[in-house]
Amino acid sequence: GGERGQSSAEAMGLLPILLVFVLGLWQLGLVGYTYVLAGHAAREGARELATDPTNEKGDQPFRDVAMDDLPKAWRKGAEITAPEQDAVTVKVRLAVPIVLPGLRSPFRIGSDASTPVESEPLPPSQALTPEPS
């Protein structure tokens, strides 16, 4: 009769470890999803920049298009820029949400995308791409 409840006691000891493991996997999934979202937003912004190259201080439609592609939780703190030297490249940096509420994310993930404009020469980021003969 001295072993009654042993499995319950072992389960209670293992429960915190399992909980931390599941939260870690969930956080890892959020990191990967943030990377995918940054890539999608960068491609959308570059596509908009290729069709509408307006890149003035007050009028940056690529930023609005890239921001609209992001879910609400990732919009806060999103940095969307287009370098001056490369006319059709958009860079997006996003903060990774934390699984536990109330904590700030120390992680930022970024991605960049460029799209060539058919009527213009290739941008500097794609200069090494061989042109068809």
Side-chain angles (χ1 to χ4, degrees), residues 45-97:
R47 201 173 294 127
E48 177 65 24
L49 201 55
T51 58
D52 182 13
T54 306
N55 190 8
E56 299 171 5
K57 288 286 186 195
D59 187 26
Q60 296 178 329
F62 71 91
R63 186 170 290 158
D64 297 333
V65 170
M67 191 68 79
D68 288 343
D69 193 56
L70 295 172
K72 193 174 185 180
W74 278 265
R75 289 181 186 173
K76 185 178 180 182
E79 298 172 11
I80 302 169
T81 59
E84 295 290 329
Q85 68 271 16
D86 202 351
V88 290
T89 298
V90 174
K91 295 183 179 207
V92 176
R93 285 182 47 90
L94 303 174
V96 178

